[in-house]
Amino acid sequence: MELMNQIVEEDDQDSVTIAKDNDGVPDAMSEDDEVESSYSFDFFAKNDLIKLHESSDEYSIVRTGFFSGIEENSSKKIKILAIHKTFNSSFSAKVKAKNFQILAKAVARKCCGDANIKYAWYSASKDEICEILKHGFSWYIKTAENQYCYRTSIYLFAAKFSSDSVLGSKVDETGVRHLLLCRVILGKQELVTGNCNDRFHPSSPEFDSGVDDLSAPRKYIIWSTYMNSHILPCYIISFGAPYE
């Protein structure tokens, strides 16, 4: 399926389809343009990423998909500074991308021909994103108290709920936030409610991932057992947002 049809993935006929142009899509300024002109993205360039040009269709599609999941009043506070794409030029990145394709085919065979691949947003700090690009998702996560705890699952938000990811995004040292847009192999989903911190795999081999709602999922749950096989980072969107 083409990127155009995947960025915002809907399951009903009332959904919004992303357009290639930017008509009606806000790109509001932060307090000034100094952050955009002075901010360096060298840390992404060093991690096998390429910066998309603002005039490209790919930039427009990702940008429009991002704003389509944010209310107009909130979107006016957001200024996109850059969108980067994973280049997959390193050996490890090529292997990961190839393995993702192989796994998708295997899951599709198990699930009657449909691996149920979606785009989804992941909130993280700049440092965590760089670590994910270098080494994959970690089994440990840093808490608000600067301690590390064992991670049993990864939570991502459906493409049309980018606002949820913005709320969970971390501000870096210069006031900029970053989100990962990933491809995710969901396969057969199971409903997960309440606290699942004591689980790191599906409840049965029949399932591949968890969701908060089977009919209209907002949140995807990828168990730690699968986090570096079922999630493939594709884009990083960087933005300034005094987001409340």
Side-chain angles (χ1 to χ4, degrees):
M1 182 182 287
E2 295 180 353
L3 177 63
M4 175 68 68
N5 298 323
Q6 286 192 39
I7 294 290
V8 175
E9 188 69 46
E10 295 87 9
D11 298 319
D12 56 59
Q13 296 182 354
D14 297 326
S15 58
V16 178
T17 301
I18 288 183
K20 279 192 177 182
D21 58 54
N22 296 332
D23 293 345
V25 179
D27 196 5
M29 303 297 289
S30 51
E31 293 183 359
D32 53 57
D33 286 332
E34 291 183 5
V35 173
E36 182 177 14
S37 60
S38 62
Y39 195 86
S40 172
F41 289 99
D42 289 346
F43 51 88
F44 285 159
K46 294 176 182 177
N47 283 280
D48 205 25
L49 294 168
I50 56 173
K51 186 176 180 180
L52 297 180
H53 196 278
E54 293 182 15
S55 63
S56 69
D57 284 347
E58 201 168 7
Y59 178 100
S60 177
I61 292 167
V62 176
R63 173 183 177 275
T64 306
F66 172 71
F67 277 120
S68 69
I70 299 174
E71 293 182 358
E72 183 177 356
N73 290 339
S74 297
S75 66
K76 290 179 180 179
K77 303 176 183 179
I78 295 175
K79 172 66 179 180
I80 292 181
L81 303 180
I83 298 176
H84 287 80
K85 178 182 180 179
T86 55
F87 190 46
N88 292 335
S89 63
S90 68
F91 176 76
S92 61
K94 288 179 180 177
V95 170
K96 184 174 178 61
K98 183 63 175 178
N99 287 343
F100 185 87
Q101 295 175 356
I102 294 171
L103 180 62
K105 292 179 181 178
V107 173
R109 285 194 296 269
K110 189 189 79 167
C111 297
C112 302
D114 183 10
N116 194 16
I117 300 176
K118 309 287 187 184
Y119 273 96
W121 300 100
Y122 179 71
S123 302
S125 66
K126 180 188 74 176
D127 291 341
E128 183 184 354
I129 288 175
C130 290
E131 286 300 308
I132 290 170
L133 295 172
K134 287 180 182 177
H135 309 296
F137 290 91
S138 172
W139 284 83
Y140 293 90
I141 188 168
K142 197 173 186 178
T143 66
E145 295 76 25
N146 287 325
Q147 297 179 340
Y148 287 89
C149 65
Y150 188 72
R151 167 183 271 170
T152 59
S153 58
I154 299 286
Y155 291 88
L156 304 100
F157 291 98
K160 60 182 176 182
F161 294 111
S162 52
S163 58
D164 291 359
S165 282
V166 172
L167 287 171
S169 61
K170 308 294 192 303
V171 181
D172 69 15
E173 65 277 4
T174 61
V176 176
R177 300 171 185 262
H178 311 274
L179 291 179
L180 267 177
L181 181 59
C182 307
R183 291 184 75 198
V184 186
I185 300 173
L186 296 172
K188 186 171 183 179
Q189 302 164 306
E190 63 176 314
L191 179 64
V192 177
T193 58
N195 191 328
C196 58
N197 290 334
D198 58 342
R199 291 174 53 189
F200 57 90
H201 54 73
S203 62
S204 161
E206 175 186 3
F207 299 110
D208 303 283
S209 65
V211 289
D212 58 343
D213 188 315
L214 286 173
S215 60
R218 192 182 191 101
K219 183 186 296 182
Y220 302 137
I221 301 164
I222 303 297
W223 308 108
S224 56
T225 306
Y226 297 157
M227 62 186 178
N228 283 312
S229 58
H230 286 54
I231 307 174
L232 184 68
C234 296
Y235 300 93
I236 297 173
I237 185 165
S238 304
F239 56 97
Y243 199 92
E244 301 294 340

